[in-house]
Amino acid sequence: MTGDSVLLERADGVAVLTLNRPSAKNAIDIPTTDALVAALRSLRTDDDIHAVVLTGAGGDFCAGGDVKGMADGGSRTVEQRRSGMARYAELARALAALDKPLIAAVDGVAFGAGLSMALYADIVLVSTRARLAMVFHRIGLVPDVGAWYQLPRVVGMQRAKELIYSAREFGAEEALRMNLALEALAPEALMPRAMELARSLANASPTAFSLSKRALSATLQSDLETMLDMEASSQAIALSSAYFREAIRRFAAKEPAQFRWPNKD
C-alpha cells in the first residue's frame, strides 16, 4: 500500500500497482503522481520483485491528468506551470528506468497521460471494451509524460502524428493493428492474463531481461557497431550469471527449464 490513490500489492515475485481513484476514472492528480513515482522507484530496487503489473481500479485504466486540478491553478505563471510539469517528467523517468518486466493491463479508458503511461510497458494488454486516445489537443494541450518520445517509437511517426493531431478515440482491435497492444481480452480475463505473463517473466533471468530492455531502449538512436559492442558486453555478463549456470545444469540433467512462456488459450 502506497496511499489511497495508488495501491501496491506484492506476491510471488510480482508487484501489482493499481491506480485507485475510480470515481475520477483514475485520473492522476499531484498526490497520485507522487505516489506512482515513489512506488516505481522502490520497486526498481526491490530484489524480491521480478515483474510489475500496472492497472486501474473500477473498470478503467486512467483518464489522464486531473483536468479540474489544472483549471484550479489558473493564476499560475508559465514559469510556475513549467516547474509543475517536473512531476510528469519524473513519472516518465521512473517508468523508463524500471528495468524489470512491466505489463499494463488496460481496461476502460486510457486517455491522455493514461495512454502515455501505457506506452512504457513492455507488454500492453487491453480489454475488448478499452477506449484509448491522445486527447490533449481536444482541450488545447500537448502530450505529456514523454508521449512525444514514446509514441513514435511504438506506432511509427506518421501514425503518432495522426493520433496526436486528431486526438481521436480508438479501441482494442485498432490498438492491436497498430502494435500498441499485444493482446485483447474479455474484461474478466484481463488481469488473470496479466498475472500469468508477469509470473512467467518473474521466472526469467533478471540479468538478461535488464540487459535486453536497456539495449532495446537504445537501439533506435544507435547504429549497428554500437549495438554489436553492447551485445558482446551484455552477453559476457549474462554468461557469468548464476541464472545461466543453473539453466545449463537443468539442461544437462534434463530437468524442466526455470523460465517458460505461457501460451494464450
Side-chain angles (χ1 to χ4, degrees), residues 82-100:
R82 181 176 170 83
S83 177
M85 285 300 296
R87 277 189 165 84
Y88 277 2
E90 287 306 305
L91 177 56
R93 292 186 184 104
L95 287 162
L98 186 67
D99 57 355
K100 300 176 181 183

Side-chain angles (χ1 to χ4, degrees), residues 68-204:
K68 183 179 183 299
M70 298 176 200
D72 289 344
S75 62
R76 287 184 294 172
T77 65
V78 169
E79 291 76 13
Q80 289 170 329
R81 290 181 182 278
R82 181 176 170 83
S83 177
M85 285 300 296
R87 277 189 165 84
Y88 277 2
E90 287 306 305
L91 177 56
R93 292 186 184 104
L95 287 162
L98 186 67
D99 57 355
K100 300 176 181 183
L102 176 61
I103 298 171
V106 178
D107 195 10
V109 299
F111 286 176
L115 179 51
S116 298
M117 286 192 291
L119 296 173
Y120 290 89
D122 299 291
I123 295 173
V124 178
L125 304 178
V126 294
S127 80
T128 50
R129 66 185 179 191
R131 298 159 51 211
L132 308 95
M134 279 278 147
V135 296
F136 302 96
H137 280 199
R138 292 188 196 175
I139 56 173
L141 297 180
V142 299
D144 52 29
V145 195
W148 274 342
Y149 182 87
Q150 288 292 100
L151 188 61
R153 285 164 171 76
V154 174
V155 302
M157 183 59 78
Q158 182 163 262
R159 179 61 71 191
K161 288 180 177 180
E162 185 264 336
L163 292 177
I164 291 170
Y165 296 166
S166 69
R168 69 176 178 86
E169 185 179 309
F170 58 97
E173 290 305 315
E174 190 171 359
L176 292 179
R177 290 197 299 271
M178 66 177 71
N179 294 321
L180 194 151
L182 182 68
E183 296 175 8
L185 304 110
E188 64 273 14
L190 183 64
M191 277 303 292
R193 179 60 171 168
M195 294 302 296
E196 181 183 34
L197 296 182
R199 291 189 186 103
S200 177
L201 287 167
N203 286 325

